[in-house]
Amino acid sequence: QKEVEQDPGPLSVPEGAIVSLNCTYSNSAFQYFMWYRQYSRKGPELLMYTYSSGNKEDGRFTAQVDKSSKYISLFIRDSQPSDSATYLCAMSQGSNYQLIWGAGTKLIIKP
Amino acid sequence: DGGITQSPKYLFRKEGQNVTLSCEQNLNHDAMYWYRQDPGQGLRLIYYSQIVNDFQKGDIAEGYSVSREKKESFPLTVTSAQKNPTAFYLCASSPGQTETQYFGPGTRLLVL
């Protein structure tokens, strides 16, 4: 079993829909949770960063961490075709530990 | 502009040849990383360096080598011992004592 599980998709939704992307993990020591967006043939870019449990909002994006369920989510409101990309989750126990990555979910927003 | 640059964008390797991928950053970050990405898979760590003149193996270091002679530079050599080198290679850096990493644009390595 992988430490971090992420459905590879593709997930296809119409423009304007609310998108929910998720990762589950097995290591209860993870404290730092990140979402990266990667466009085709480009490097990943940091989208959201969350420490411990709770929600964090940035514009149309909301990151949610549920440590009791070992489950993290990224919500995208009013989705746009430009949101079409692969979304990678990553998590860590702390600064002296490496990031552990999900495989990424490919998201397609249809105009 | 501050950022991470990788070159070349595409690289072709012949059988038995060593090739070197360049990674430079002007963010004044202490730590630098090399990842390999294969289709449908997450990022796999090859090597990382937290300080100049020091580096550690990641999960898939076999067939690769690195150096860290300057803070700004962390080149990766793909040696002939790496039998399946075709992949997308990503370099990243992070400030000290932080978990967030910032990525370059990547180098796609293909075998002739």
Side-chain angles (χ1 to χ4, degrees), chain A residues 57-107:
Chain A
E57 188 173 321
D58 184 1
R60 296 185 296 112
F61 298 91
T62 299
Q64 193 172 78
V65 175
D66 183 349
K67 291 189 74 178
S68 61
S69 300
K70 297 192 185 73
Y71 189 89
I72 68 170
S73 300
L74 177 71
F75 298 96
I76 307 174
R77 291 182 299 280
D78 187 25
S79 55
Q80 305 293 313
S82 58
D83 295 326
S84 298
T86 296
Y87 289 79
L88 298 148
C89 65
M91 46 198 81
S92 168
Q93 296 182 61
S95 58
N96 291 324
Y97 295 86
Q98 295 309 310
L99 281 182
I100 307 300
W101 294 84
T105 298
K106 184 173 183 177
L107 175 65

Side-chain angles (χ1 to χ4, degrees), chain B:
Chain B
D1 285 336
I4 303 173
T5 57
Q6 290 186 244
S7 61
K9 189 173 182 180
Y10 295 95
L11 185 57
F12 299 92
R13 194 191 90 164
K14 295 179 182 178
E15 287 288 335
Q17 186 181 40
N18 293 353
V19 292
T20 297
L21 286 62
S22 169
C23 178
E24 304 276 334
Q25 55 100 357
N26 61 5
L27 300 167
N28 200 33
H29 286 173
D30 290 314
M32 297 187 74
Y33 311 82
W34 274 106
Y35 289 95
R36 171 178 172 144
Q37 187 175 35
D38 293 281
Q41 295 193 34
L43 305 184
R44 292 188 289 168
L45 184 64
I46 304 172
Y47 268 99
Y48 65 100
S49 168
Q50 294 181 310
I51 196 170
V52 174
N53 292 323
D54 188 46
F55 48 83
Q56 283 78 40
K57 293 181 180 179
D59 300 321
I60 56 165
E62 186 174 349
Y64 301 96
S65 66
V66 293
S67 62
R68 186 87 186 275
E69 297 177 2
K70 299 186 299 181
K71 187 176 185 177
E72 308 80 45
S73 178
F74 192 40
L76 173 74
T77 297
V78 183
T79 74
S80 58
Q82 173 49 247
K83 298 306 180 188
N84 184 24
T86 297
F88 190 47
Y89 290 86
L90 289 159
C91 179
S93 70
S94 66
Q97 302 302 310
T98 183
E99 297 68 39
T100 55
Q101 295 180 13
Y102 300 88
F103 286 82
T107 292
R108 190 164 299 276
L109 176 60
L110 300 165
V111 177
L112 293 177

